[in-house]
């Protein structure tokens, strides 16, 4: 499969996860994110949605761990820093 096709599939999966998150289907976001993270480990947005799903389930320690993992290679990622701050203030 070429890169453009893979990118389109990834975008579609991401939008599906985002839709699930917006509809508060947090457990489904987590289970689908686990699978997608294995296939796309460098696409941090999937992990971000997983962290937000844990946050939605009030699993703050898990959410914090995920956001901190994302920050390791990119410590100045403002989106993740914001989400981590949100978790830490809960």
């Amino acid at each position: 499969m070429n890169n453009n096709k893979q990118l389109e599939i990834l975008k579609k999966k991401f939008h599906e996860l985002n839709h699930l998150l917006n509809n508060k289907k947090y457990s489904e976001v987590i289970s689908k994110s686990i699978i997608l993270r294995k296939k796309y480990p460098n696409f941090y947005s999937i992990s971000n949605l997983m962290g937000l799903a844990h946050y939605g389930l009030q699993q703050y320690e898990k959410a914090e761990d995920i956001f901190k993992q994302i920050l390791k290679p990119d410590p100045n990622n403002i989106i993740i820093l914001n989400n981590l701050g949100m978790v830490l203030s809960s």
Side-chain angles (χ1 to χ4, degrees):
M1 191 180 309
N2 67 35
N3 286 340
N4 288 336
K5 184 70 173 171
Q6 272 192 322
L7 184 58
E8 287 303 314
I9 291 170
L10 178 58
K11 284 181 185 179
K12 182 179 176 187
K13 299 277 187 190
F14 175 77
H15 288 295
E16 289 171 4
L17 284 177
N18 199 40
H19 179 74
L20 290 170
L21 184 72
N22 289 334
N23 285 292
K24 300 182 180 182
K25 296 186 178 184
Y26 303 127
S27 295
E28 199 172 339
V29 171
I30 293 166
S31 63
K32 290 183 180 217
S33 294
I34 290 169
I35 295 166
L36 285 173
R37 279 179 23 166
K38 290 178 183 174
K39 190 167 186 176
Y40 305 100
N42 296 323
F43 192 64
Y44 82 88
S45 295
I46 294 169
S47 296
N48 183 47
L49 292 179
M50 181 189 282
L52 290 170
H54 281 292
Y55 176 78
L57 291 171
Q58 299 180 347
Q59 297 172 343
Y60 302 127
E61 286 183 32
K62 287 183 181 181
E64 179 182 346
D65 290 344
I66 290 169
F67 294 135
K68 285 181 176 180
Q69 281 181 330
I70 299 170
L71 285 171
K72 285 180 183 176
D74 187 9
N76 296 317
N77 186 316
I78 193 73
I79 294 167
I80 304 306
L81 287 168
N82 180 70
N83 291 343
L84 178 60
M86 178 178 68
V87 168
L88 292 174
S89 68
S90 296

